Amino acid sequence: MIKSRVEEAINNQIAREEHSSRIYMAMASWCEVSGLPGAAAYLYAQADEERMHQMKFIRHLNDRGGHAVLQALEQPVSSFKNLLDVFEQVMKHEEYITASINDLYEVSLTEKDYTTGNFLQWFINEQIEEESTVRGILDKIKLTGSGENGGLFHLDKELTAMAAAKVAAPAEV
Ligand code: OFO
C-alpha cells in the first residue's frame, strides 16, 4: 500500500500535469488565431503529451493501491505578446515542473518508496529532454529577432515538422 505522503505528492503532480496540458492548449489556441499554425500544432501535441504524463501518474497511483483524485485548476493565461513570450513561459513552466518532479522523487526516497522512485526515473529523463527542446526553440526565436520578422515564417514551418514528429512517435506510456 502506498504511503499517504507519497499519495498526496503524486496527486499534486497529477494536478500539475493536467494544468500543464491546459496551459499548452491555451497557448496553442492563441498561436492558431495569431497566424502561427506550426507553433499551434507543436503546442497542441505538447498538450496531448502532458495529458499522457497525467495518465501515467494516475495509473501508477491506482495500481499501487492509492486513489488518484482530480483537483480544481487555475484558469490558464490565454493571451501573449508574441511567440517569444509564449516560449519563455513554456520554459519557466517546464523548470517549475522539473523542480516539482525532483521534490516528488525526494519524497519517494524519504518514505522508502523505491518503486515510485524507480517509476519517476522516466520523468526525470523526460524533463531533461523537454527543457532542452524548449531551450532550442527559444534560441531560434531569438535569432529571428523577437519572433516578429521574416525568420518567423521558417521557424513556424520547423515547428510544424517538430509537431508531426511528436505525433508520429509519442513518448511511450
Ligand atoms: Fe509533463 O512535462 Fe511538461 O510539464
Side-chain angles (χ1 to χ4, degrees):
M1 193 75 171
I2 201 150
K3 292 192 180 144
S4 63
R5 196 164 159 239
V6 180
E7 179 173 30
E8 189 188 334
I10 293 178
N11 266 319
N12 288 338
Q13 191 62 35
I14 287 169
R16 288 182 191 129
E17 299 293 345
E18 187 178 359
H19 195 215
S20 300
S21 180
R22 284 166 54 82
I23 286 173
Y24 297 149
M25 186 77 81
M27 288 174 170
S29 176
W30 180 85
C31 290
E32 194 161 48
V33 298
S34 304
L36 296 163
Y42 178 85
L43 288 161
Y44 280 133
Q46 188 60 38
D48 284 348
E49 259 187 47
E50 299 300 349
R51 191 172 175 284
M52 183 271 286
H53 294 170
Q54 179 192 10
M55 282 302 298
K56 276 176 95 91
F57 278 112
I58 289 174
R59 293 210 171 109
H60 176 75
L61 185 50
N62 288 344
D63 283 351
R64 300 280 318 285
H67 182 194
V69 176
L70 301 193
Q71 301 177 16
L73 298 173
E74 225 180 280
Q75 183 176 7
V77 174
S78 58
S79 75
F80 304 88
K81 285 191 273 215
N82 49 35
L83 195 61
L84 179 63
D85 184 29
V86 170
F87 277 92
E88 275 177 346
Q89 293 197 36
V90 173
M91 190 73 224
K92 219 170 122 197
H93 185 71
E94 285 307 324
E95 285 168 352
Y96 163 73
I97 293 295
T98 299
S100 168
I101 297 279
N102 289 342
D103 287 349
L104 178 52
Y105 186 65
E106 201 175 316
V107 170
S108 73
L109 295 191
T110 309
E111 294 296 321
K112 297 193 179 353
D113 184 343
Y114 302 117
T115 309
T116 294
N118 192 38
F119 163 80
L120 287 170
Q121 290 298 330
W122 184 90
F123 284 94
I124 290 168
N125 292 330
E126 176 73 4
Q127 284 311 119
I128 295 171
E129 198 190 308
E130 290 206 359
E131 282 193 24
S132 136
T133 306
V134 176
R135 207 170 289 120
I137 294 171
L138 267 176
D139 286 346
K140 285 178 186 167
I141 296 173
K142 285 175 187 161
L143 282 174
T144 72
S146 300
E148 276 159 2
N149 60 24
L152 192 55
F153 175 76
H154 296 287
L155 176 58
D156 196 61
K157 279 189 106 161
E158 205 175 323
L159 286 168
T160 306
M162 286 171 79
K166 255 186 193 299
V167 173
E172 115 282 356
V173 184

